[in-house]
Amino acid sequence: MHEDPLKQLWQQHDRRGDAEETAAMDAWRRHHQQATQRQLSAFSAVQVMQLLFWLGLAIYCGSVWWPRPPLAVMLAAIALHAYCVAVIIASVARLHLRRQLQPDQPVLQQSRQLAALRTRTAIGELLLGLPWCWLWLAVPVLAAWQLWRVDLGAYTAGVLWISLVAGVALMTALLVLARRWQRRDPHSPRLQRVIDSLAGRRLARARAELDAVRAWSTDAPR
């Protein structure tokens, strides 16, 4: 019994359509994974460069405070040294999270982890920027001592203390507000833009990408 030629032609068309759809999906998956790997390679390169920079600065600060210079210089070097150690730990943690993203992971899982990594990085950089409300004082103190062997603490102690107290108060207020914003985004669009600008606009993009991945995961057929 011969099969209907029209039916055979229709089945061949369906098989060809399925094969083309599978090939297109595989090509899209490979393109997405390659693009993700390029982004991760750039991310790793930036983190390694930051790691080397802050490691070098930590070694320099250690060489300044170890010989016990004047009090203001020593405190400035210790504070900046501690900050360098915190940044180094954050960079190492980011590189560890980056290693968890493998090229053979499913696209949805890879996109979710990449968006989470970007969000954590943006939030971390925002938090690491807060100590500069007062840490900037260490720069002129160390520069004056390194270039001219001048102890600013002996000449401008009052100004340094006032600036330090004001900077610590500002950082504390920003931390309190950050805890509020962590639970609930600010209602003011202008204030939200200020927060995003402090994070280099990356926080808004990372949150938008994470929300898009969550929506995609919810709407995806199971």
Side-chain angles (χ1 to χ4, degrees):
M1 182 176 182
H2 297 286
E3 192 173 359
D4 187 358
L6 183 60
K7 185 177 182 181
Q8 291 180 353
L9 183 62
W10 183 260
Q11 290 176 348
Q12 293 176 359
H13 176 74
D14 284 346
R15 287 194 293 269
R16 186 165 57 249
D18 292 341
E20 291 176 353
E21 183 178 355
T22 302
M25 181 62 67
D26 291 339
W28 175 82
R29 186 179 295 109
R30 286 194 301 270
H31 174 75
H32 183 275
Q33 290 176 342
Q34 291 173 358
T36 300
Q37 289 304 309
R38 287 194 297 268
Q39 295 174 13
L40 290 175
S41 298
F43 176 84
S44 299
V46 171
Q47 294 303 315
V48 169
M49 287 188 294
Q50 289 183 354
L51 188 61
L52 294 176
F53 171 79
W54 291 108
L55 181 60
L57 187 57
I59 294 174
Y60 162 74
C61 292
S63 67
V64 172
W65 66 262
W66 185 258
R68 296 184 179 276
L71 181 61
V73 179
M74 186 170 63
L75 292 178
I78 291 176
L80 195 53
H81 181 85
Y83 179 81
C84 291
V85 172
V87 176
I88 290 170
I89 293 174
S91 296
V92 172
R94 292 169 190 168
L95 289 173
H96 176 70
L97 291 175
R98 179 260 176 270
R99 290 186 59 187
Q100 297 179 0
L101 277 79
Q102 302 298 329
D104 56 346
Q105 287 179 325
V107 173
L108 182 58
Q109 181 181 357
Q110 194 177 67
S111 299
R112 186 186 298 113
Q113 291 183 352
L114 181 60
L117 176 61
R118 288 175 174 169
T119 303
R120 292 177 184 178
T121 301
I123 294 175
E125 290 183 353
L126 181 60
L127 293 177
L128 287 173
L130 289 178
W132 285 101
C133 292
W134 56 270
L135 194 60
W136 66 271
L137 292 168
V139 177
V141 171
L142 290 177
W145 178 255
Q146 185 69 35
L147 296 176
W148 305 290
R149 292 296 172 182
V150 174
D151 178 19
L152 291 183
Y155 300 96
T156 60
V159 174
L160 291 177
W161 277 111
I162 293 174
S163 301
L164 179 61
V165 172
V168 171
L170 177 60
M171 187 188 71
T172 304
L174 291 176
L175 280 173
V176 173
L177 292 176
R179 289 182 62 86
R180 279 188 61 187
W181 296 334
Q182 185 179 10
R183 293 190 294 266
R184 183 178 60 186
D185 291 337
H187 297 292
S188 172
R190 181 177 299 177
L191 187 56
Q192 183 65 58
R193 286 194 297 268
V194 171
I195 299 172
D196 295 336
S197 63
L198 290 175
R201 303 298 299 173
R202 280 175 287 190
L203 183 57
R205 290 194 296 267
R207 283 181 173 176
E209 183 177 358
L210 188 58
D211 291 340
V213 171
R214 288 171 178 169
W216 182 23
S217 177
T218 303
D219 298 338
R222 301 183 182 276

